[in-house]
Amino acid sequence: MVPARRSSEPTARRRARRILGALFLAAGLSIVALVVAFSKGSTTPDLSAVDPQGRDLAYTAAVNFLAGKEQDVPHADTFDPQKASAQTPGRRAAALDYRSLNWVGFTPQHFGSEKLGFTDFEVHHFLVVMSDPGQGASQTPSSTPGGASPSTPGGSPSSTPSGGASQTGAAGAPSPGTTPTPQITPSISSGPTPPTGGTETPAPVSDVLQLDVPVLLDTSGPRLAASPAFSVWKNGAGKPEGTGDYTNYSGLTVQVSEEAKNQILRWATAYATGDSAGLLAVTGDQDNSHSYQGLSGFGLANSAQAVQVLSAIKSTDEQIIVRVRLMLARTDQIGTVPGKKSNVQPFTNFADFDLLVGASGAQPPVLAWGPAGSAADLEPYYNAQKN
């Protein structure tokens, strides 16, 4: 027998290092694979970039359901619209009395197995806000599926804001070219009053419902798979939670100077009435190619609550972010007869904005504005338009 030839010591060491290196690499790759597997299994899929196929069909089906009508949309073979309709021959079913219908998302469903095949669904979710009791006739949404706003065939919902607003009109608002009077005095609110203690009694009728519409995804297009169904609205239900006015950044909260409040009043008046010159002046923008545009057909309500400073935080050493609430009032349109409907209050409601304001100076500029929650996007002259 010929004895095996032994490798030299340097060669053996090189081989050992290669083997150990391969083992360490394999171990590292297995750990990475394990982490990836856990991360994929523990997160829900991101549907923000997914365009649902059956959204329009689901919206039409939801409107038909709430109106008590027989479904007239494309449907699955197994769904019979006549059998699913509660209409009685010779009688028209009453429509559900609701204030708004809004699509809030969808859930994809993939049912079946490799052996039997798969069935794909989209379950679309709508938020239905019920009308207040005794408000009047039923209301049907008249806008697009993305954000339905109701029409009011039986009379418009009450638009009187809480807080005892007086009769509206732009006459009580300060003119943009003058120093506003103390008639409208903004003040920093201390926040919402916490609910008092006591035993909570559940409401007998929910004023918010979720409506789920199942849609079958077929090769020939989306089809209504079954009749829509109500469920309990759970997203965001319960007691108030979360801070939405940036006061959670307690180290950044600041007081708004009287000079800044005066400038905010000027901005509010110019924005509500569509005074482009007033908006340009209050921003302090020196670029001659810039212009600014506000609303038209509105004004500030003649109320001490017409302009409110709710909170403010420091953005930079030179700028602050202010949450401002305006009480907007619809003004008489051209061609209408003033006083024709003196017993009907014009549309009046509160609207909240984020303002980027200069932190100091005799006339701190209102540099930019946007809806509440848009503070991260605001930068000086953000609202400027090129002439």
Side-chain angles (χ1 to χ4, degrees):
M1 180 178 291
V2 179
R5 181 182 177 185
R6 300 183 61 183
S7 301
S8 62
E9 185 174 350
T11 302
R13 288 180 179 177
R14 284 196 298 270
R15 289 177 179 173
R17 283 196 295 267
R18 291 172 184 170
I19 294 172
L20 290 175
L23 290 175
F24 277 118
L25 179 61
L29 290 175
S30 63
I31 293 175
V32 171
L34 189 63
V35 170
V36 171
F38 273 117
S39 64
K40 286 186 176 180
S42 61
T43 58
T44 56
D46 181 12
L47 300 177
S48 60
V50 178
D51 187 20
Q53 300 179 41
R55 178 172 173 174
D56 293 339
L57 181 143
Y59 177 77
T60 304
V63 171
N64 289 342
F65 176 82
L66 296 175
K69 294 172 54 179
E70 181 179 314
Q71 294 291 353
D72 56 359
V73 298
H75 56 84
D77 291 337
T78 52
F79 175 70
D80 188 339
Q82 290 185 344
K83 291 183 178 180
S85 175
Q87 287 185 342
T88 303
R91 295 183 60 187
R92 185 175 180 273
L96 184 69
D97 189 10
Y98 66 100
R99 190 163 71 246
S100 66
L101 170 68
N102 289 281
W103 184 86
V104 293
F106 76 108
T107 304
Q109 300 287 350
H110 189 61
F111 183 82
S113 65
E114 291 287 351
K115 181 179 180 180
L116 300 176
F118 291 96
T119 304
D120 291 319
F121 294 95
E122 289 176 352
V123 181
H124 290 260
H125 312 296
F126 294 86
L127 176 64
V128 182
V129 181
M130 307 297 292
S131 296
D132 296 331
Q135 191 173 18
S138 62
Q139 302 169 13
T140 306
S142 59
S143 65
T144 60
S149 60
S151 59
T152 54
S156 59
S158 173
S159 59
T160 304
S162 60
S166 62
Q167 286 292 329
T168 61
S175 59
T178 60
T179 302
T181 64
Q183 179 186 4
I184 302 174
T185 305
S187 58
I188 296 182
S189 171
S190 59
T193 304
T196 57
T199 304
E200 294 184 1
T201 303
V205 179
S206 174
D207 59 351
V208 178
L209 292 172
Q210 179 173 314
L211 182 63
D212 302 314
V213 181
V215 175
L216 170 68
L217 299 184
D218 189 71
T219 54
S220 56
R223 298 286 188 268
L224 182 63
S227 186
F230 283 125
S231 60
V232 178
W233 175 257
K234 297 179 181 178
N235 293 345
K239 63 180 182 179
E241 294 285 351
T243 302
D245 61 357
Y246 315 118
T247 52
N248 51 313
Y249 301 107
S250 56
L252 299 177
T253 54
V254 295
Q255 297 292 324
V256 181
S257 67
E258 291 301 320
E259 293 79 7
K261 290 179 182 179
N262 287 335
Q263 289 291 93
I264 290 172
L265 281 172
R266 291 190 176 97
W267 168 84
T269 304
Y271 180 77
T273 59
D275 181 1
S276 298
L279 289 175
L280 178 62
V282 80
T283 62
D285 191 349
Q286 301 299 314
D287 191 332
N288 294 329
S289 67
H290 284 177
S291 63
Y292 291 85
Q293 186 175 1
L295 303 177
S296 60
F298 286 88
L300 294 179
N302 187 14
S303 168
Q305 299 179 354
V307 181
Q308 304 172 44
V309 174
L310 303 181
S311 65
I313 64 170
K314 180 179 180 181
S315 176
T316 67
D317 290 339
E318 302 297 329
Q319 299 165 5
I320 60 175
I321 295 169
V322 186
R323 176 64 58 83
V324 175
R325 174 168 292 170
L326 306 184
M327 187 189 291
L328 297 174
R330 189 70 170 165
T331 57
D332 290 330
Q333 303 301 296
I334 297 175
T336 59
V337 180
K340 185 74 174 180
K341 298 181 179 179
S342 57
N343 60 328
V344 179
Q345 177 177 326
F347 172 85
T348 305
N349 216 335
F350 289 104
D352 292 348
F353 298 85
D354 281 347
L355 271 59
L356 184 65
V357 183
S360 60
Q363 291 185 323
V366 178
L367 299 167
W369 56 88
S374 64
D377 290 335
L378 300 182
E379 56 186 29
Y381 317 126
Y382 169 82
N383 308 91
Q385 298 178 346
K386 288 288 186 180
N387 290 330

